[in-house]
Amino acid sequence: LDEDFAKNFTDMKGLEELRSKMAERLLTDGEERSRRNAEEQIRNGLLERNKVDVPKSMVDRQIVHMIEDTANRMASQGIDLKKVSLDFEKMRERFAPNADRSVRLSLLLAAIAEKEGIDVPYAEIESKTDASNTVSVGTGAELRSAGDLILGTSTLNRTDASALVKT
């Protein structure tokens, strides 16, 4: 890396600015990766500590949604779905574990939110839902409640969560 290389970037004045921007970007990426990892650990902890059965119809509906999402992504990439042989049965089998996990987690988070008095407007939830339709612990309040549950400091216990989810 030298000054001439740095000047190839139209918004950079020199090597030092390029290094600074790269360091800032690496730090931001690392923080984001750490946040995602922490959220995933919380989700995994919730699922491990709260074994709940979910209605097959909800899992089936989630599988259908995942298949539709896959087809939409393929179409948006220019793939002609009429020319592609999609094995929907294999897709159902492949998506089933993730669909079950997604439904269980969604119900657990809803039970926690209800028990802890967390009310997030639907529009805010929609804006935080990513394209792959995985459940995200989107707000600080949800993250704290989930963390409290895992650490055992929440007023919600496994029995409460199961009772709330089954109703």
Side-chain angles (χ1 to χ4, degrees):
L1 297 178
D2 62 10
E3 290 292 329
D4 290 333
F5 176 78
K7 289 178 183 174
N8 286 328
F9 297 93
T10 57
D11 59 337
M12 300 293 156
K13 293 183 177 106
L15 186 58
E16 211 40 55
E17 185 178 358
L18 177 62
R19 283 187 176 143
S20 173
K21 294 278 186 190
M22 288 176 67
E24 183 180 315
R25 174 70 186 267
L26 289 172
L27 180 62
T28 302
D29 289 351
E31 289 170 347
E32 178 64 20
R33 192 170 27 260
S34 292
R35 184 189 62 78
R36 283 192 315 266
N37 287 339
E39 287 178 357
E40 185 61 21
Q41 288 175 0
I42 289 170
R43 287 188 290 267
N44 289 339
L46 278 172
L47 292 168
E48 282 176 23
R49 288 168 178 78
N50 297 280
K51 306 290 185 192
V52 293
D53 294 326
V54 295
K56 183 180 180 322
S57 61
M58 291 180 79
V59 175
D60 289 342
R61 195 172 342 151
Q62 181 66 19
I63 291 170
V64 168
H65 182 74
M66 293 168 80
I67 291 171
E68 289 172 347
D69 184 57
T70 299
N72 288 336
R73 277 186 280 141
M74 291 172 72
S76 73
Q77 294 172 358
I79 298 171
D80 185 354
L81 297 177
K82 293 176 184 174
K83 295 180 180 179
V84 177
S85 174
L86 296 176
D87 187 339
F88 292 108
E89 198 53 44
K90 282 188 180 182
M91 290 176 79
R92 288 184 70 78
E93 288 175 23
R94 196 178 101 222
F95 290 149
N98 287 337
D100 181 74
R101 181 184 191 278
S102 178
V103 170
R104 287 187 307 123
L105 187 58
S106 179
L107 292 173
L108 282 168
L109 289 175
I112 291 167
E114 183 177 326
K115 181 74 175 183
E116 298 292 330
I118 300 167
D119 185 25
V120 181
Y122 185 74
E124 186 177 336
I125 294 170
E126 278 283 302
S127 71
K128 298 215 184 260
T129 304
D130 65 278
S132 65
N133 210 26
T134 58
V135 177
S136 174
V137 180
T139 67
E142 289 172 329
L143 189 60
R144 281 190 300 280
S145 291
D148 288 346
L149 184 67
I150 290 170
L151 297 173
T153 58
S154 175
T155 58
L156 181 68
N157 61 36
R158 180 185 295 185
T159 305
D160 292 336
S162 295
L164 286 170
V165 170
K166 289 179 182 175
T167 59

